[in-house]
Amino acid sequence: PTEAIGMMIANELGYEDTGEFEDALKTSWEDFLAALPHLEVQSREDGSKQFRIKPEPPASERTPTIMTLKVCERQDLWRVCLKSPNSIVSIPEIEFEIGADRKRHIDSIYNHVAAAMFNLDIHLANVSGLSDGDREKISTTVAALGDLLDLKEPWTWIVNDPDGMSEIKPNDGVQVTVPISLSLP
């Protein structure tokens, strides 16, 4: 049950009780779990709640999707995005992509962008042989990503998922489209 797991995590993290833990979360434990795109929260017969990790649908039941979110306000940055292993995220305003890396990545949009900035900074620090022009372009991209996190102007978060397993929660304002597939004779 969710309540027992919540108490265990609260104790493990050093909170006196689940109330203090929920204050730190700024929401109830059940609402926190429900906000995670890879979990399902279900009611049991006795009225308690339980959660489980959503199973991946069989390959034959997957539908490619494109999810588009206009990031306009701070709370949009804290939406949780489950990026499936084969999905690509693009930010057209700065012509930037986070490629498919064969790993499921669950994090806030803010942290997805911050991780991209970190990875580019590490690349700059560790790769020798980059031309000054390439170094400048990468540094400019890192600065542009930082501006996105500062929300200097609205920008677009697009998740192109060939498997249709990516999610953004909460999903209000997220436009989901199914790309038209071209089948050749």
Side-chain angles (χ1 to χ4, degrees), residues 149-163:
L149 295 181
D150 291 338
L151 211 55
K152 292 186 176 184
E153 58 186 50
W155 51 278
T156 313
W157 177 263
I158 301 171
V159 181
N160 188 337
D161 186 358
D163 299 320

Side-chain angles (χ1 to χ4, degrees), residues 24-150:
L25 289 174
K26 296 185 177 18
T27 189
S28 72
W29 173 241
E30 288 176 9
D31 288 346
F32 175 79
L33 291 174
L36 297 175
H38 65 297
L39 298 180
E40 290 178 344
V41 179
Q42 303 165 333
S43 295
R44 298 171 56 172
E45 288 180 15
D46 64 2
S48 65
K49 303 278 185 173
Q50 68 181 20
F51 70 93
R52 70 182 187 115
I53 296 174
K54 290 181 189 175
E56 290 185 3
S60 62
E61 294 178 15
R62 298 177 188 170
T63 303
T65 57
I66 298 172
M67 294 184 296
T68 305
L69 172 67
K70 194 70 168 176
V71 179
C72 299
E73 50 193 50
R74 290 245 169 261
Q75 60 190 86
D76 291 332
L77 293 170
W78 298 109
R79 291 178 191 239
V80 177
C81 179
L82 183 157
K83 181 182 170 298
S84 75
N86 296 317
S87 65
I88 297 170
V89 171
S90 59
I91 303 170
E93 289 82 357
I94 62 169
E95 297 181 17
F96 183 77
E97 283 190 353
I98 300 172
D101 61 0
R102 303 265 183 225
K103 294 184 223 169
R104 182 172 71 169
H105 188 167
I106 305 165
D107 216 332
S108 66
I109 290 173
Y110 185 99
N111 285 338
H112 279 285
V113 174
M117 292 172 64
F118 177 80
N119 290 336
L120 288 171
D121 278 336
I122 293 296
H123 183 72
L124 276 176
N126 293 329
V127 175
S128 60
L130 284 175
S131 71
D132 289 341
D134 287 343
R135 286 188 179 283
E136 185 176 328
K137 288 175 186 174
I138 293 171
S139 294
T140 300
T141 299
V142 171
L145 290 168
D147 288 345
L148 296 178
L149 295 181
D150 291 338

